[in-house]
Amino acid sequence: MKKKMLLLNTTVLLGLGAVLSTPAYASTIQDMESQKSQIQNQRQDVQSNIKAASDELTRLQAEQDQMKAQLERLTIAEEENNKKAQKTEADIKETSKQVEQLEKEIKLLQEKLEKRNDILKDRARSLQESGGNVEYLQVLLGSSSFGDFVDRALAVSTIVDADRGILKETKNMQDELKTKQADVKSKLASLEDMKAELDEMTVQLAAQKKQKDALAKELKDKEAKNEELKASLQSKDSSLANEQSTLEQNIKDQKAAEEAARKAAEQAAKEAAKKAAEQAQKAVAAPAEKADSSSAKAEAPKASSNDVAPTSAPAPKASNVVTVGNRWIGNSAYVFGGGRSQSDISHGLFDCSSFVHWAYSQVGVNLGPLGSVSTETLKHAGTQVSSSQMQPGDLVFFDTYKKDGHVGIYVGGGKFIGAQSSTGVAIANMSSGYWKQKFNGRVVRI
């Protein structure tokens, strides 16, 4: 009897073990675990790519903002330089009118002088013919009476005063002529300088316009790239959502399958135990062992919270005048007469002399009133040294549209930093090319 019961119990256990260890279920669990692992790895890759794309998107947006700001500066510079060009053109026209008027006045003076010369010649000839050129004593001694003496003395005095007046007026007219001629020459020289400045300005405006157009095209290209990047991110987000949904559904289905298998195993065990009990005639059936070999629950992927938003590094503090202006490279524009107000400085709008003044002010050196700073004032602001002794921080001067028309700060290595008309604040090479040709050898040490 005991042998029969042992055999039946063994049969029940083997039947239950067969139900719970079916190869099909084991294979499904392994496939699901492998699939889950693959999807998790894929999700991590996608999330990493999305983060990289997001970082690139942020960088591009910052670059776009910077370019938009530069375009705004160039637009302001173009407007201000156009105003300067119009004013210069008006000054040229006005100076031309003044020159024409001075030429007319000079012509009239020349005609008057010719008439005065004729009068003096006539007076001299008349005096000579009437004896008026005799000595004053001879006039007195030669008088025949007191009345004749008075008449002769009065006549001589009147003639001398008249001649003296003519001579004095002639001298004044000659001096006035010289003054007006010098004034004409000065105005003509000023006119030539203004014309040269206007020509230089026209070239620089064209260069600035070209730079503006190039930046506009670059901005448009980057915006297109930005849109493409956004579309790519959206596609990745959609793909990630689909994969996540598929993963969740697979896990749900697997849990349902495992639950169904567990219940089926329990039911089979109960039926086998019941049958064994009936056959064993009231034998105590061993409690069915619950299948647990495939009950591992899929763990939901945990989102990482370790990512820390990048922080921008603090702006480097300017240590000296050579490097203090680097902050404006790529963030400034050249404006004739610019940089002499806080608004201009805030927007990075400088000309060469105002930039030098600003740079030195940042290291505690005052180069005179900002409103009147120019290349002329700067070349007398320090001590002139030989170009062979040039060192970083010295002011270097260039002959552009006029003598000493441009100034910058030497940074070493044959280069200088300054506000250039076509680039705004930039570092340029003065050891070759254009700036080498324009460098006039003037070096001023502050």
Side-chain angles (χ1 to χ4, degrees):
M1 185 65 176
K2 291 182 178 180
K3 288 182 178 181
K4 286 184 177 181
M5 291 178 65
L6 180 59
L7 179 60
L8 289 173
N9 290 338
T10 302
T11 302
V12 171
L13 293 173
L14 289 173
L16 181 59
V19 171
L20 296 178
S21 61
T22 304
Y25 285 102
S27 176
T28 300
I29 292 172
Q30 291 178 357
D31 290 344
M32 287 297 296
E33 290 291 344
S34 176
Q35 183 182 8
K36 184 180 75 171
S37 178
Q38 290 175 3
I39 291 176
Q40 286 178 331
N41 290 336
Q42 185 178 3
R43 185 183 181 192
Q44 289 177 356
D45 291 341
V46 171
Q47 287 179 337
S48 177
N49 291 335
I50 288 177
K51 185 180 183 304
S54 179
D55 292 344
E56 177 66 8
L57 183 63
T58 301
R59 187 191 69 79
L60 284 175
Q61 188 61 53
E63 189 174 348
Q64 287 179 24
D65 292 342
Q66 184 178 4
M67 278 197 296
K68 286 179 180 178
Q70 181 65 2
L71 284 173
E72 291 176 359
R73 279 189 287 268
L74 286 177
T75 299
I76 295 174
E78 188 176 14
E79 292 174 353
E80 293 298 322
N81 287 339
N82 278 329
K83 290 179 182 178
K84 177 68 174 179
Q86 293 172 2
K87 183 179 184 303
T88 303
E89 188 67 36
D91 290 342
I92 288 175
K93 291 180 180 180
E94 179 62 26
T95 305
S96 297
K97 291 179 181 179
Q98 293 176 4
V99 169
E100 291 177 0
Q101 181 62 31
L102 285 173
E103 289 176 345
K104 291 179 181 179
E105 293 178 5
I106 288 174
K107 185 176 180 180
L108 290 175
L109 282 173
Q110 289 174 337
E111 292 176 354
K112 288 182 179 179
L113 283 175
E114 290 177 358
K115 290 180 180 180
R116 288 292 185 271
N117 289 333
D118 292 341
I119 291 174
L120 287 173
K121 289 178 181 178
D122 292 341
R123 295 292 294 172
R125 189 180 300 109
S126 176
L127 285 172
Q128 183 177 8
E129 292 175 353
S130 62
N133 60 341
V134 296
E135 295 291 336
Y136 184 76
L137 182 60
Q138 292 177 332
V139 171
L140 295 179
L141 295 175
S143 58
S144 57
S145 64
F146 183 76
D148 185 25
F149 163 75
V150 173
D151 290 339
R152 282 176 177 265
L154 182 61
V156 171
S157 176
T158 301
I159 291 172
V160 171
D161 289 342
D163 290 345
R164 185 181 294 109
I166 292 174
L167 290 171
K168 185 177 181 181
E169 184 179 0
T170 300
K171 180 66 168 58
N172 290 339
M173 291 173 65
Q174 288 176 335
D175 292 342
E176 184 180 0
L177 177 60
K178 291 180 180 179
T179 300
K180 288 185 179 292
Q181 285 176 332
D183 194 12
V184 169
K185 290 181 180 179
S186 176
K187 287 185 178 295
L188 284 174
S190 176
L191 183 62
E192 290 174 357
D193 284 346
M194 281 192 291
K195 183 63 170 61
E197 183 176 359
L198 181 60
D199 292 342
E200 182 75 12
M201 194 184 306
T202 302
V203 173
Q204 292 165 350
L205 284 174
Q208 287 186 339
K209 185 64 168 61
K210 184 177 179 181
Q211 182 185 19
K212 177 181 175 182
D213 292 341
L215 283 174
K217 183 179 183 303
E218 184 179 355
L219 178 60
K220 185 176 181 181
D221 293 342
K222 286 187 178 293
E223 285 178 346
K225 184 178 180 180
N226 192 14
E227 292 300 325
E228 182 181 351
L229 190 58
K230 286 182 179 179
S232 176
L233 284 172
Q234 291 172 351
S235 176
K236 288 180 180 180
D237 281 339
S238 177
S239 176
L240 180 60
N242 290 336
E243 299 228 3
Q244 181 71 25
S245 177
T246 299
L247 175 61
E248 291 174 351
Q249 186 61 44
N250 288 342
I251 293 174
K252 183 178 179 181
D253 293 343
Q254 179 63 16
K255 285 183 178 180
E258 290 179 353
E259 182 65 17
R262 186 184 65 79
K263 289 181 178 180
E266 288 180 352
Q267 185 63 30
K270 288 179 180 179
E271 291 177 357
K274 182 179 180 181
K275 185 176 180 180
E278 290 175 351
Q279 293 176 354
Q281 300 176 354
K282 297 180 181 181
V284 180
E289 181 179 353
K290 296 182 180 180
D292 196 38
S293 60
S294 60
S295 60
K297 297 182 180 180
E299 296 180 358
K302 297 180 180 179
S304 173
S305 61
N306 294 326
D307 293 340
V308 179
T311 57
S312 59
K317 183 179 180 181
S319 59
N320 53 58
V321 73
V322 174
T323 58
V324 72
N326 289 349
R327 57 172 291 195
W328 294 116
I329 296 176
N331 299 306
S332 60
Y334 186 94
V335 174
F336 281 93
R340 288 163 178 78
S341 68
Q342 189 54 50
S343 176
D344 280 358
I345 294 173
S346 298
H347 288 87
L349 304 177
F350 296 97
D351 64 11
C352 61
S353 53
S354 66
F355 170 74
V356 169
H357 187 284
W358 174 86
Y360 269 93
S361 71
Q362 299 305 295
V363 294
V365 179
N366 185 356
L367 296 182
L370 176 60
S372 60
V373 66
S374 66
T375 54
E376 286 298 312
T377 63
L378 291 177
K379 74 181 184 181
H380 300 296
T383 303
Q384 294 197 26
V385 298
S386 170
S387 60
S388 62
Q389 299 175 340
M390 188 164 48
Q391 62 186 28
D394 290 344
L395 303 188
V396 287
F397 290 80
F398 305 85
D399 293 343
T400 52
Y401 70 93
K402 66 176 183 178
K403 180 70 173 176
D404 298 315
H406 189 70
V407 63
I409 302 172
Y410 187 64
V411 299
K415 297 180 180 180
F416 75 97
I417 186 170
Q420 273 66 264
S421 60
S422 60
T423 61
V425 176
I427 294 176
N429 189 354
M430 59 183 288
S431 60
S432 64
Y434 176 82
W435 292 112
K436 180 180 181 180
Q437 296 175 0
K438 297 298 182 179
F439 179 53
N440 62 18
R442 186 188 299 279
V443 179
V444 174
R445 184 160 299 160
I446 302 300

